[in-house]
Amino acid sequence: MDAKTSVVTIDVKMQDPEVSAILADTVLCRLKEYITRYRTDKARQDMLYAEKLNNEAKENYYAAQKRLADYDDRNQGLSLRSAQITRERLENEATLAFNLFNQTAQQLQMAKAKVQETTPVYAVVSPATVPNRPSSPKKPLILVGFTFLAFVICAAWILFGQPMLAEHRQNFATEAKEK
């Protein structure tokens, strides 16, 4: 991950080059899903909450409208002041419920826009490709390493192993003669 450019590099090394390319594509897809989910999680939760509030406000608004309509149906032609006050109260409740529903609908739209805004955009700079020749193991480097190791082992044998073996044989021979 390059912090300055926000570029993520995926490098897959396996024995089979085709499997490497397939694995790189799979990792890319899963990484996109994870990053999108991670970056938009808070905005999605806010959107779900706004949607819940909007649904509740909608139900309250419809219920207030129904109460007002039921009251009007039952009390047609009444000119009592108490009936007018009750009707005004029901109209105010319906208006208040509508205003709350309208506000929650706006908040829901803003939350949806926020989810869209926080969703990252991805661009594949260079797609996964199957290499023409293996990138590892580096055969010349392995050959040089084993040659050096063989040289060190031979030098150690010549400098330390043969003199110790000769000394051990001599000690064994002298012990055998004494017996």
Side-chain angles (χ1 to χ4, degrees), residues 71-84 87:
Y71 181 80
D72 282 344
D73 290 344
R74 282 188 311 234
N75 299 305
Q76 285 183 346
L78 288 180
S79 60
L80 297 173
R81 184 72 184 141
S82 62
Q84 290 175 353
R87 185 179 193 300

Side-chain angles (χ1 to χ4, degrees), residues 1-2 5-12 24 27-28 31 125-126:
M1 171 78 176
D2 186 2
T5 60
S6 296
V7 172
V8 177
T9 304
I10 299 172
D11 188 22
V12 178
V27 168
L28 176 70
L31 191 61
V125 177
S126 68

Side-chain angles (χ1 to χ4, degrees), residues 142-158:
I142 292 172
L143 182 65
V144 168
F146 275 108
T147 304
F148 177 73
L149 186 62
F151 175 75
V152 168
I153 291 173
C154 287
W157 174 253
I158 291 170

Side-chain angles (χ1 to χ4, degrees), residues 17-67:
E18 291 177 11
V19 172
S20 295
I22 292 169
L23 185 62
D25 281 339
T26 304
V27 168
L28 176 70
C29 291
R30 296 246 173 114
L31 191 61
K32 280 182 185 180
E33 291 171 8
Y34 174 77
I35 291 173
T36 300
R37 205 174 338 108
Y38 177 77
R39 291 206 177 155
T40 61
D41 192 42
K42 173 73 168 104
R44 282 186 203 283
Q45 288 177 359
D46 291 346
M47 183 185 75
L48 291 174
Y49 182 69
E51 193 170 18
K52 178 184 167 203
L53 288 178
N54 184 278
N55 289 337
E56 289 174 3
K58 183 179 181 180
E59 289 174 11
N60 290 339
Y61 170 59
Y62 288 164
Q65 274 187 327
K66 178 141 178 56
R67 284 192 303 271

Side-chain angles (χ1 to χ4, degrees), residues 127-177:
T129 57
V130 178
N132 293 336
R133 57 188 174 95
S135 60
S136 63
K138 308 261 188 245
K139 292 177 184 166
L141 185 62
I142 292 172
L143 182 65
V144 168
F146 275 108
T147 304
F148 177 73
L149 186 62
F151 175 75
V152 168
I153 291 173
C154 287
W157 174 253
I158 291 170
L159 294 175
F160 305 110
Q162 284 183 342
M164 286 175 55
L165 184 63
E167 183 181 328
H168 183 64
R169 284 184 181 161
Q170 185 179 12
N171 288 341
F172 186 71
T174 56
E175 286 180 11
K177 286 182 184 179

